[in-house]
Amino acid sequence: MTTRPQNAPAAPAPHIEFDGRPATEEDLRIPALHGFGHFTALQVRGGAVRGLGAHLDRLDAANRELFGRPLGGDRVRELIRHALAGAGRADASVRVNAYLPPGAAETVLMVAVREPAALPAAARSLMSVPYARPAPHIKRPGEFGQTYYGMLAGRAGFDEALLTLPSGAVTEGATTNVGFWDGASVVWPDAPALTGTTMTLLERGLDRAGRPSVRRPVTLEGPDGVGRFRAAFVCNSQGIAPIQRIDATPFTVDEELMRELRAAYGAAPADAV
């Protein structure tokens, strides 16, 4: 996570809709005052999304766990299409938030549309921090810990925070999944973390390409320490980028690995919203 320079222009305001209509002041009180909920963030290109089914499945599973009711994929897709049309965009960053404010009979969906985004391709640096998200399998808003430690990492000259358990086990980046390369396999930390959509697509794509990825414990130090790996990378809905260092441990950018990862991701079909 990088901090925006003080004099940099603010990003354009997003187009926001609640259940298919432009957001009102009353609507915006829901995330302001009743922020308990969940969300997914996705990139739309030409009206289509890679891994759309995984996004919809995640929303439905989280909605059932948090609110005790399903969240139909057809409804979500319709609201995304409506918001894209309202924003006049076929390429966009889209965020779908789900809330159940007091007295609501049905899950309220907020869809925010803004300009498309991509993870910077430059190699990134991560600062390890002692933080683990509660219920990490659920993607949810208002993550103070991730934002706080991401801010500290940026102030210390790093691009993102790397979340770790008290044991030193690596879990995930503040806004990404993190993967490692041991020369034969892509290794994902076997620890509580959100299974991101891009991570899921990479696992599937690598398997199709004959290079299955594995889950193994990864720690900051010791026999399973990050220093034993030849290369590392981060990924989220905005893309994939190499890691150049974790704390003081340097990594070589393996261009062949990055090409293989991007090819595995690029081979995933894009589904029309």
Short mmCIF file of all heavy atoms in Angstrom, two decimals, residues 15-28 82 86 111:
data_model
loop_
_atom_site.label_atom_id
_atom_site.label_comp_id
_atom_site.label_asym_id
_atom_site.label_seq_id
_atom_site.Cartn_x
_atom_site.Cartn_y
_atom_site.Cartn_z
N HIS A 15 -19.26 6.77 -9.11
CA HIS A 15 -20.71 6.72 -9.32
C HIS A 15 -21.25 5.63 -8.39
O HIS A 15 -20.81 4.48 -8.45
CB HIS A 15 -21.02 6.37 -10.78
CG HIS A 15 -22.47 6.16 -11.04
ND1 HIS A 15 -23.36 7.19 -11.19
CD2 HIS A 15 -23.20 5.00 -11.18
CE1 HIS A 15 -24.57 6.71 -11.41
NE2 HIS A 15 -24.50 5.39 -11.42
N ILE A 16 -22.17 5.98 -7.50
CA ILE A 16 -22.66 5.05 -6.48
C ILE A 16 -24.16 4.86 -6.62
O ILE A 16 -24.91 5.84 -6.72
CB ILE A 16 -22.32 5.55 -5.07
CG1 ILE A 16 -20.80 5.74 -4.90
CG2 ILE A 16 -22.85 4.58 -4.02
CD1 ILE A 16 -20.40 6.31 -3.56
N GLU A 17 -24.57 3.60 -6.61
CA GLU A 17 -25.98 3.28 -6.63
C GLU A 17 -26.32 2.32 -5.48
O GLU A 17 -25.47 1.51 -5.07
CB GLU A 17 -26.38 2.62 -7.95
CG GLU A 17 -26.24 3.55 -9.16
CD GLU A 17 -26.75 2.93 -10.45
OE1 GLU A 17 -27.20 1.76 -10.42
OE2 GLU A 17 -26.70 3.63 -11.48
N PHE A 18 -27.52 2.45 -4.96
CA PHE A 18 -28.05 1.53 -3.96
C PHE A 18 -29.24 0.81 -4.57
O PHE A 18 -30.23 1.44 -4.96
CB PHE A 18 -28.48 2.28 -2.70
CG PHE A 18 -27.35 2.58 -1.75
CD1 PHE A 18 -26.45 3.59 -2.03
CD2 PHE A 18 -27.19 1.84 -0.58
CE1 PHE A 18 -25.40 3.87 -1.17
CE2 PHE A 18 -26.15 2.12 0.30
CZ PHE A 18 -25.25 3.13 0.00
N ASP A 19 -29.12 -0.50 -4.67
CA ASP A 19 -30.20 -1.32 -5.22
C ASP A 19 -30.72 -0.76 -6.55
O ASP A 19 -31.92 -0.73 -6.81
CB ASP A 19 -31.34 -1.45 -4.22
CG ASP A 19 -30.96 -2.32 -3.01
OD1 ASP A 19 -30.04 -3.14 -3.15
OD2 ASP A 19 -31.59 -2.18 -1.96
N GLY A 20 -29.81 -0.29 -7.39
CA GLY A 20 -30.17 0.10 -8.74
C GLY A 20 -30.63 1.54 -8.91
O GLY A 20 -31.10 1.90 -9.99
N ARG A 21 -30.46 2.39 -7.89
CA ARG A 21 -30.82 3.80 -8.04
C ARG A 21 -29.71 4.67 -7.47
O ARG A 21 -28.94 4.22 -6.60
CB ARG A 21 -32.15 4.11 -7.32
CG ARG A 21 -32.17 3.63 -5.89
CD ARG A 21 -33.50 3.89 -5.20
NE ARG A 21 -33.55 3.27 -3.89
CZ ARG A 21 -32.85 3.66 -2.84
NH1 ARG A 21 -32.04 4.70 -2.94
NH2 ARG A 21 -32.95 3.03 -1.69
N PRO A 22 -29.57 5.88 -7.98
CA PRO A 22 -28.50 6.76 -7.50
C PRO A 22 -28.56 6.94 -5.98
O PRO A 22 -29.64 7.05 -5.40
CB PRO A 22 -28.76 8.08 -8.23
CG PRO A 22 -29.51 7.69 -9.46
CD PRO A 22 -30.35 6.51 -9.06
N ALA A 23 -27.40 6.95 -5.36
CA ALA A 23 -27.32 7.04 -3.90
C ALA A 23 -27.89 8.36 -3.41
O ALA A 23 -27.64 9.42 -3.98
CB ALA A 23 -25.87 6.90 -3.45
N THR A 24 -28.67 8.28 -2.34
CA THR A 24 -29.19 9.46 -1.67
C THR A 24 -28.44 9.66 -0.36
O THR A 24 -27.68 8.79 0.09
CB THR A 24 -30.68 9.31 -1.38
OG1 THR A 24 -30.86 8.23 -0.42
CG2 THR A 24 -31.46 8.99 -2.65
N GLU A 25 -28.68 10.81 0.26
CA GLU A 25 -28.06 11.07 1.57
C GLU A 25 -28.48 10.00 2.57
O GLU A 25 -27.67 9.53 3.38
CB GLU A 25 -28.46 12.45 2.05
CG GLU A 25 -27.86 12.84 3.40
CD GLU A 25 -28.25 14.23 3.84
OE1 GLU A 25 -28.54 15.07 2.96
OE2 GLU A 25 -28.28 14.48 5.06
N GLU A 26 -29.74 9.59 2.50
CA GLU A 26 -30.23 8.56 3.41
C GLU A 26 -29.52 7.23 3.15
O GLU A 26 -29.16 6.51 4.10
CB GLU A 26 -31.74 8.40 3.25
CG GLU A 26 -32.39 7.48 4.27
CD GLU A 26 -32.35 8.04 5.69
OE1 GLU A 26 -32.30 9.27 5.85
OE2 GLU A 26 -32.35 7.22 6.62
N ASP A 27 -29.31 6.89 1.89
CA ASP A 27 -28.60 5.66 1.55
C ASP A 27 -27.19 5.66 2.15
O ASP A 27 -26.74 4.64 2.70
CB ASP A 27 -28.48 5.51 0.03
CG ASP A 27 -29.81 5.21 -0.64
OD1 ASP A 27 -30.64 4.52 -0.03
OD2 ASP A 27 -30.00 5.67 -1.78
N LEU A 28 -26.50 6.77 2.02
CA LEU A 28 -25.11 6.83 2.44
C LEU A 28 -24.96 6.77 3.96
O LEU A 28 -23.85 6.54 4.46
CB LEU A 28 -24.45 8.09 1.89
CG LEU A 28 -24.32 8.10 0.35
CD1 LEU A 28 -23.83 9.46 -0.13
CD2 LEU A 28 -23.38 7.00 -0.11
N HIS A 82 -26.37 -2.12 -14.33
CA HIS A 82 -27.10 -0.85 -14.21
C HIS A 82 -26.15 0.27 -13.78
O HIS A 82 -26.20 1.39 -14.33
CB HIS A 82 -28.24 -0.99 -13.21
CG HIS A 82 -29.22 0.13 -13.22
ND1 HIS A 82 -29.00 1.32 -12.54
CD2 HIS A 82 -30.41 0.28 -13.86
CE1 HIS A 82 -30.02 2.13 -12.74
NE2 HIS A 82 -30.89 1.53 -13.54
N GLY A 86 -25.04 3.64 -15.75
CA GLY A 86 -25.21 4.95 -15.13
C GLY A 86 -23.93 5.76 -15.11
O GLY A 86 -23.96 6.99 -15.23
N VAL A 111 -23.34 -0.43 -5.09
CA VAL A 111 -22.40 -0.66 -6.19
C VAL A 111 -21.72 0.66 -6.51
O VAL A 111 -22.39 1.65 -6.83
CB VAL A 111 -23.12 -1.21 -7.44
CG1 VAL A 111 -22.10 -1.47 -8.55
CG2 VAL A 111 -23.88 -2.49 -7.11
#
